[in-house]
Amino acid sequence: MMRSRAINKYVLSCIVLFSAVFCLNNVSYANVSAGDFFTSAIQSDGSLWAWGINPYGQLGDNSTAGQTMPEHIGASSWSQVSAGGNQTLG
């Protein structure tokens, strides 16, 4: 079981997910939080993005389909996100 961990104010250029590397063109994230097999992140413009497995709808995209690349979630401006085992709070 993977523990959740928040990483604040870092620029992530590549993310390893399921033994694959996704380069995100040096997108700047203000807040990143990892749950069990999924990640949620807020870009510096306040937009929320999520990717990974999604059997419980933890990505927040109104589905249970997994996402291999970051998917924009909602239309709100976010300041914090926290991913747990199978849930995300913002």
Side-chain angles (χ1 to χ4, degrees), residues 32-55:
V32 176
S33 186
D36 288 351
F37 308 108
F38 73 99
T39 303
S40 297
I42 300 171
Q43 287 188 2
S44 56
D45 65 0
S47 61
L48 179 62
W49 297 78
W51 59 98
I53 65 169
N54 190 32

Side-chain angles (χ1 to χ4, degrees), residues 15-79:
I15 294 175
V16 177
L17 179 65
F18 304 119
S19 300
V21 176
F22 300 106
C23 294
L24 304 175
N25 299 321
N26 293 322
V27 174
S28 178
Y29 288 97
N31 183 269
V32 176
S33 186
D36 288 351
F37 308 108
F38 73 99
T39 303
S40 297
I42 300 171
Q43 287 188 2
S44 56
D45 65 0
S47 61
L48 179 62
W49 297 78
W51 59 98
I53 65 169
N54 190 32
Y56 305 106
Q58 61 266 42
L59 298 183
D61 62 354
N62 294 319
S63 80
T64 55
Q67 299 295 329
T68 59
M69 294 295 294
E71 176 184 35
H72 186 248
I73 306 297
S76 300
S77 181
W78 300 83
S79 60

